[in-house]
Amino acid sequence: MRLQKYLADAGIASRRKCEQLIEEGRVKLNGAVAEIGMNVNDGDVVTLDGKRVRANNERVMIAFYKPKNVICSNAEDEDRKKVTDFFKELPYRLYTVGRLDYDSEGLILVTNDGDAANRLMHPRYGLSKTYNVLCSGRFTDAEIHALASGVMLEDGMTAPARVKLLRETDNGNTELSITIHEGRNRQVRRMVAAVGHDTLRLVRVSIGKLTISGLKSGQWRFLSREETELLLK
């Protein structure tokens, strides 16, 4: 097995990131500094920064209800609570599939499979993401139509979205369902701001056909093999 695939299968990072780690000289094979393209055979010892890396071919995919004020980062110097803090008891190196803003909540995928994560994040696959968004004020039909058709942001026009009015609150606010296929930074919040409203609460309720149903804030569950395969299709 190629060294970079061995590292990726062990949950270290995506294959591309593992190649970078090898190029940086941080990986050794049987005590010698490794090079990209080397093969790992039975009995070989692979280390990263002096710590042994053991193969783990078991792919795990987790649905997690990220609470508000939790970040999607593995940075060790980050003092805020991280998504991966919720999984310290699991014997995997895990990272999130994409991002969900610090001040947003809801469904995010967590996995040890870097290749699967990259595929799910790639814009070419257009994986839909649906958000329930509590917004300030009342929306006109023209504003809802603008969100659905596409609005101009500083990084360009957004692609068409599915927008549905869920309810109008007694205190004059509005809750919308917004489904997008893009993954721009803070996109939904910026879309709402572009038509003159503030986002008061944002909850991602689904990714593709996978929903957050049955999970409360801070809870998670393993996806079945069938659910994982459906996502990767």
Side-chain angles (χ1 to χ4, degrees):
M1 179 187 295
R2 294 288 186 182
L3 177 59
Q4 53 266 38
K5 185 176 189 305
Y6 180 93
L7 293 170
D9 286 352
I12 296 301
S14 68
R15 198 174 304 186
R16 182 177 300 176
K17 177 64 176 177
C18 289
E19 290 175 352
Q20 181 181 334
L21 295 173
I22 296 169
E23 289 176 340
E24 292 171 354
R26 297 169 59 185
V27 180
K28 291 185 177 181
L29 177 61
N30 297 325
V33 175
E35 296 179 359
I36 291 176
M38 284 183 164
N39 288 316
V40 181
N41 301 306
D42 290 343
D44 286 343
V45 176
V46 177
T47 60
L48 171 63
D49 296 334
K51 296 181 180 179
R52 185 166 183 177
V53 177
R54 298 183 184 275
N56 183 355
N57 296 322
E58 180 186 12
R59 178 174 65 195
V60 296
M61 191 76 71
I62 295 168
F64 175 56
Y65 190 135
K66 185 189 91 67
K68 187 177 179 180
N69 299 336
V70 172
I71 62 169
C72 300
S73 171
N74 286 359
E76 294 183 0
D77 59 348
E78 178 60 64
D79 57 2
R80 292 177 294 178
K81 193 170 184 65
K82 303 184 289 291
V83 167
T84 50
D85 290 339
F86 290 79
F87 304 97
K88 289 182 176 179
E89 75 277 14
L90 297 183
Y92 309 103
R93 182 181 176 88
L94 298 170
Y95 39 93
T96 59
V97 178
R99 295 287 185 266
L100 193 56
D101 299 334
Y102 177 71
D103 48 356
S104 300
E105 56 190 290
L107 181 61
I108 191 163
L109 299 174
V110 183
T111 185
N112 66 338
D113 188 328
D115 289 341
N118 284 338
R119 179 172 180 177
L120 290 170
M121 288 187 288
H122 199 289
R124 176 175 54 169
Y125 294 99
L127 194 63
S128 65
K129 296 174 284 289
T130 299
Y131 303 82
N132 286 357
V133 192
L134 182 62
C135 310
S136 64
R138 297 280 195 245
F139 278 69
T140 65
D141 290 341
E143 289 170 340
I144 291 178
H145 178 74
L147 288 175
S149 301
V151 294
M152 180 59 71
L153 304 178
E154 60 268 25
D155 51 355
M157 184 72 73
T158 62
R162 292 202 311 270
V163 183
K164 180 181 179 182
L165 175 64
L166 296 179
R167 66 186 178 104
E168 294 180 335
T169 67
D170 293 337
N171 58 352
N173 296 321
T174 305
E175 187 172 9
L176 301 175
S177 170
I178 301 178
T179 301
I180 62 174
H181 295 82
E182 300 175 285
R184 305 190 204 183
N185 184 44
R186 300 179 70 83
Q187 180 176 337
V188 173
R189 292 178 182 275
R190 292 191 290 139
M191 288 170 62
V192 170
V195 295
H197 298 267
D198 295 324
T199 297
L200 306 177
R201 187 187 184 200
L202 188 148
V203 182
R204 183 192 282 163
V205 296
S206 70
I207 299 174
K209 294 184 178 181
L210 183 69
T211 73
I212 206 167
S213 177
L215 293 177
K216 296 180 180 178
S217 181
Q219 293 183 335
W220 58 271
R221 68 175 180 85
F222 288 111
L223 298 192
S224 66
R225 180 179 299 175
E226 292 74 21
E227 288 175 315
T228 300
E229 290 176 352
L230 185 61
L231 276 174
L232 292 174
K233 280 184 177 181

